[in-house]
Amino acid sequence: QVRLAESGGGSAQAGGSLRLSCVVSDFPYYTSACMGWFRQAPGKEREAVAAIYGGGGSTYYSDSVKGRFTISQDNAETTVWLQMDNLKPEDTAMYYCGLSRGYARRPLSATEYDYWGQGIQVTVSS
């Protein structure tokens, strides 16, 4: 069974940094997969943060994090990181890692993703 496990969340002050990790287990087709980070704040819908295609493919970012967050992947493509710099209080949310088994026409759409991690909390104080 495919499993995604996030780690690295926590608290930071505005302007600070955090790095999230997502480890994928039991999925043999990493190079054809798209992986993404999404977040959901209380009372709000889940929104896209960033996505990356396997095999060193393209990256995508939402406008709200572009220039501040960086998504990357290890060579084995079993781990995806989200480096979050210059954090803002509005970045406070539960962050989820998602995996799309195949090509995702809209990598920043949650409907493209087949598997999800349990989520990890990120809290940014002003």
Side-chain angles (χ1 to χ4, degrees), residues 5-84:
E6 302 101 335
S7 62
S11 299
Q13 290 192 329
S17 298
L18 287 172
R19 191 189 198 203
L20 304 184
S21 299
C22 175
V23 177
V24 181
S25 303
D26 300 323
F27 184 74
Y29 309 116
Y30 299 108
T31 56
S32 64
C34 181
M35 295 197 67
W37 286 97
F38 290 74
R39 67 187 182 187
Q40 188 167 16
K44 295 187 177 181
E45 294 185 354
R46 187 171 296 191
E47 64 172 355
V49 176
I52 185 168
Y53 277 111
S58 302
T59 56
Y60 303 84
Y61 297 93
S62 67
D63 290 340
S64 61
V65 306
K66 200 172 294 182
R68 300 188 298 120
F69 291 10
T70 304
I71 189 170
S72 60
Q73 199 169 39
D74 70 331
N75 289 336
E77 299 173 358
T78 58
T79 303
V80 174
W81 294 284
L82 184 69
Q83 177 67 39
M84 305 185 294

